[in-house]
Amino acid sequence: MATFRKRKNRWDVQIRRSGYPLICKTFSHKTDAQKWAVETERQIDVGEYAPADLANLDTLGALLAQYGAAISIKKRGHEAETLRLTKMRRHTISALPLGKLKSFHIAQYRDDRLQQVSPATVKKELQLISHALDIGRREWGLNIKNVAADVAKPKEPTGRERRLEEDEEYLLL
């Protein structure tokens, strides 16, 4: 239910709904405020409403930026993850609209990055893209599919196997 308040020569509108944050906007005319309130409540009822801070998440780059600001900052290794996200947002894949993003694009990104960096780095980047798409779908209400989950991750090389020599064992002990 919308609440209208007149303050000086302006109309403040507040919409409170269970499961949604408080939605506020200010208008010069009461009729504009009423139209906006009716339209916003209709969007909430239909399930089309997206908060203003999430409405601009139309590209993969914007999604990765929001993910870095909201999710990565809470992680223990957020400095390295923030640098990785920044690097990923410089790539041409970040300009793709989320609605047109396909697993083919992610596979191209993987192959392009494998020419530049190690398979372990590419695997971490693909996991970041996949988690950002999942968070966008589950928590931010974006109507997207996790296309990164369908792409094969590169295999990491096996670790080194090295045996100690006689003098190294003595130094180690």
Side-chain angles (χ1 to χ4, degrees):
M1 182 85 176
T3 304
F4 301 91
R5 262 194 243 164
K6 186 170 184 177
R7 293 193 169 182
K8 296 188 181 179
N9 294 332
R10 316 246 332 139
W11 286 91
D12 289 339
V13 183
Q14 290 185 348
I15 299 176
R16 294 180 185 269
R17 285 286 178 102
S18 178
Y20 288 89
L22 175 68
I23 307 166
C24 303
K25 196 162 183 181
T26 304
F27 295 89
S28 298
H29 302 286
K30 185 175 183 178
T31 54
D32 294 337
Q34 290 171 332
K35 288 178 187 176
W36 176 82
V38 167
E39 177 61 23
T40 304
E41 287 178 334
R42 185 198 65 77
Q43 287 177 346
I44 291 172
D45 291 339
V46 175
E48 296 176 353
Y49 178 76
D53 59 340
L54 300 179
N56 60 355
L57 295 180
D58 53 349
T59 64
L60 181 61
L63 178 70
L64 292 175
Q66 177 68 22
Y67 178 84
I71 305 297
S72 290
I73 201 73
K74 299 175 186 173
K75 295 182 178 179
R76 190 172 11 154
H78 68 90
E79 296 94 357
E81 192 165 291
T82 302
L83 291 173
R84 187 171 282 120
L85 287 168
T86 304
K87 180 76 171 174
M88 291 165 58
R89 288 190 359 240
R90 289 188 198 134
H91 196 274
T92 56
I93 195 172
S94 67
L96 283 172
L98 288 174
K100 295 186 179 184
L101 187 65
K102 305 286 182 212
S103 57
F104 169 77
H105 297 113
I106 304 293
Q108 266 186 333
Y109 173 77
R110 175 200 62 204
D111 297 339
D112 182 40
R113 289 295 286 162
L114 280 173
Q115 302 297 320
Q116 302 166 4
V117 296
S118 72
T121 302
V122 175
K123 188 174 180 180
K124 289 175 187 171
E125 290 176 355
L126 292 179
Q127 288 170 341
L128 267 177
I129 292 173
S130 178
H131 193 239
L133 290 170
D134 277 342
I135 293 291
R137 182 181 50 82
R138 282 185 289 149
E139 294 187 12
W140 298 336
L142 299 177
N143 189 17
I144 54 176
K145 181 180 181 254
N146 186 354
V147 293
D150 299 336
V151 176
K153 310 297 185 275
K155 293 195 188 305
E156 295 183 35
T158 57
R160 294 186 300 175
E161 187 174 315
R162 182 173 173 271
R163 296 179 188 225
L164 294 176
E165 295 180 15
E166 293 176 17
D167 59 332
E168 290 179 328
E169 181 183 3
Y170 173 74
L171 292 172
L172 185 63
L173 292 176

